[in-house]
């Protein structure tokens, strides 16, 4: 059984279920940190022909997959569970016999960098959540206590990657495609706007950047795709890194974290890492496989909620779009 066998009964094992976007996932996590299983069934191929997630297709597919994904996660973990955390799903019949807690999808993303061995003691931190649906900068004071510093006023950062990839005729999802092209491009080739970078707020805007790319492509039929990708990516990274680091410095918070699909981006990780070193900040990044939607982050956060006795709510219904509640 490995090194944990010394005190197996003290580990609280929580099953997490995640079905809010285009991944159907179930995971078992011990004590909010040890991933015992994490099954992710991606629908990316299903949605690819449409260049984005089709909600009706997604929910039908979740229903078809969810039972077998949960069964697989329980089988892989090879252990009974003590509680359940569920995101954006209700009527989970099997919940009746175990403590059960509803988990906010964005709060789970925010928690995901703490899964990699670090603990909740890392808080307070300034936390950037950058996904396909959200761009949120939050001051995480403690688990469950957050202040939203800013968010996007239009498109999410991941949405901008996906839309620009579409303009360039690249595949879906766009982020990884743009990153690949950008590797051989010149990030200084085209001067795209850094919207709101110096406006004094912690908000973001990416739709103007996307429009600039569109105009540039129309005006310059002979463009280099790698140069466009590298220059676009650099503009997004400049704004994300600039705002998160400024927030940490201004709020005098020593730890910065980033999560969500866009935080997989290597250029983003490299630039954020360098700026954190320059400012003496500790940086926590989620493991790449925990950046995109997964149930391990749900189970891990559910452990903390269950431990604190957050009451079960069987009428649970969480819209994926509600985001974190500001908690001032
Ligand atoms: O967190 P996530 O899986 O889904 C949401 O909850 O929205 O994030 C998906 C987003 C997509 O927009 C995708 O293009 C973007 O993350 N993404 C990336 C990279 N990998 C995924 N963006 C930039 N660079 C990447 N390497
Ligand atoms: Zn997500």
């Amino acid at each position: 059984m490995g090194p944990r066998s010394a005190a197996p009964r003290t580990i609280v094992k929580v099953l997490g279920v995640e079905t809010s976007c285009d991944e159907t996932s179930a995971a078992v996590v011990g004590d909010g940190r040890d991933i015992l299983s994490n099954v992710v069934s991606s629908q990316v191929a299903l949605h690819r022909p449409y260049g984005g997630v089709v909600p009706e297709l997604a929910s039908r597919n979740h229903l078809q997959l969810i039972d077998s994904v949960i069964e697989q996660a329980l089988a892989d973990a090879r252990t009974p569970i003590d509680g359940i955390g569920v995101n954006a799903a209700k009527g989970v019949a099997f919940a009746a016999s175990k403590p059960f807690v509803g988990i906010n999808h964005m709060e789970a993303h925010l928690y995901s960098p703490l899964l990699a061995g670090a603990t909740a003691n890392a808080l307070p931190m300034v936390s950037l959540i950058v996904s396909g649906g959200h761009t949120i900068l939050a001051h995480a004071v403690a688990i469950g206590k957050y202040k939203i510093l800013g968010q996007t006023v239009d498109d999410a950062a991941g949405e901008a990657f996906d839309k620009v990839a579409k303009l360039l005729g690249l595949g879906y999802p766009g982020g990884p495609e743009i990153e690949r092209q950008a590797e051989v491009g010149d990030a200084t080739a085209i001067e795209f706007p850094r919207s709101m970078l110096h406006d004094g707020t912690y908000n973001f805007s990416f739709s103007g950047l996307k429009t600039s790319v569109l105009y540039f492509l129309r005006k310059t039929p002979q463009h280099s795709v790698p140069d466009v990708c590298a220059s676009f990516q650099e503009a997004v990274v400049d704004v994300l890194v600039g705002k998160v680091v400024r927030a940490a410095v201004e709020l005098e918070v020593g730890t910065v974290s980033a999560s969500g699909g866009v935080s997989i981006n290597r250029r983003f990780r490299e630039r954020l890492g360098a700026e954190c070193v320059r400012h003496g900040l500790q940086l926590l990044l989620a493991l790449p496989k925990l950046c995109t939607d997964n149930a391990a982050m749900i189970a891990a956060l559910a452990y903390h909620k269950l431990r604190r006795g957050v009451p079960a709510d069987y009428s649970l219904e969480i819209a994926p779009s509600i985001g974190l509640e500001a908690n001032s």
Side-chain angles (χ1 to χ4, degrees):
M1 280 244 355
R4 277 199 299 271
S5 61
R9 274 186 206 86
T10 62
I11 298 172
V12 176
K13 284 145 290 188
V14 177
L15 168 71
V17 179
E18 156 66 47
T19 59
S20 57
C21 192
D22 58 352
E23 264 92 31
T24 312
S25 178
V28 177
V29 174
D31 284 350
R33 28 166 218 273
D34 298 327
I35 301 175
L36 305 177
S37 66
N38 186 22
V39 180
V40 180
S41 174
S42 175
Q43 303 181 7
V44 164
L46 183 72
H47 298 282
R48 187 169 283 133
Y50 307 96
V53 177
V54 183
E56 295 75 26
L57 266 185
S59 47
R60 205 178 324 139
N61 204 249
H62 285 315
L63 280 177
Q64 276 165 7
L65 290 170
I66 191 66
D67 286 355
S68 61
V69 167
I70 290 174
E71 267 169 34
Q72 189 64 50
L74 291 171
D76 288 356
R78 296 188 200 186
T79 174
I81 54 155
D82 305 299
I84 303 169
V86 175
N87 172 259
K90 63 173 186 169
V92 183
F94 61 81
S97 61
K98 298 285 177 196
F100 174 81
V101 63
I103 294 297
N104 179 301
H105 183 82
M106 301 316 292
E107 188 179 357
H109 270 303
L110 184 149
Y111 185 82
S112 58
L114 301 175
L115 249 166
T119 67
N121 300 338
L123 275 61
M125 64 188 182
V126 165
S127 191
L128 178 70
I129 313 165
V130 264
S131 71
H134 295 83
T135 303
I136 296 175
L137 188 56
H139 180 191
V141 182
I143 303 281
K145 190 160 168 37
Y146 314 99
K147 185 167 179 3
I148 305 289
L149 301 171
Q151 48 194 315
T152 181
V153 298
D154 42 54
D155 293 350
E159 196 179 345
F161 271 95
D162 294 335
K163 286 179 174 171
V164 166
K166 207 166 177 178
L167 292 176
L168 289 165
L170 302 173
Y172 171 84
E177 299 281 335
I178 288 187
E179 176 172 357
R180 206 169 307 130
Q181 294 282 341
E183 269 162 26
V184 291
D186 174 4
T188 63
I190 309 146
E191 191 60 36
F192 287 129
R194 270 68 172 159
S195 306
M196 298 176 84
L197 179 55
H198 300 297
D199 72 343
T201 76
Y202 296 124
N203 288 329
F204 303 89
S205 165
F206 294 106
S207 88
L209 171 58
K210 172 202 65 195
T211 310
S212 293
V213 174
L214 174 66
Y215 288 160
F216 176 82
L217 296 180
R218 281 193 190 150
K219 205 176 61 197
T220 327
Q222 302 297 66
H223 57 262
S224 143
V225 172
D227 284 357
V228 174
C229 288
S231 301
F232 161 78
Q233 177 178 272
E234 203 67 12
V236 176
V237 168
D238 269 352
V239 178
L240 295 177
V241 172
K243 293 240 171 181
V244 69
V245 169
R246 181 165 67 77
V249 170
E250 288 179 359
L251 274 73
E252 298 181 9
V253 172
T255 302
V256 159
S257 76
S259 57
V262 178
S263 74
I264 297 172
N265 186 281
R266 286 199 299 274
R267 181 67 182 151
F268 169 74
R269 289 181 168 237
E270 181 184 293
R271 291 277 315 283
L272 183 58
E275 282 303 297
C276 284
V277 168
R278 207 159 77 83
H279 289 88
L281 300 165
Q282 173 184 232
L283 175 60
L284 301 177
L285 292 166
L287 292 173
K289 68 173 182 194
L290 299 179
C291 287
T292 47
D293 292 346
N294 67 88
M297 66 184 186
I298 304 287
L301 179 59
Y303 163 77
H304 292 281
K305 301 278 176 188
L306 289 167
R307 213 175 49 153
R308 275 161 213 206
V310 173
D313 178 2
Y314 295 95
S315 64
L316 173 76
E317 187 156 32
I318 298 180
S321 59
I322 62 173
L324 293 167
E325 301 300 339
N327 194 343
S328 46

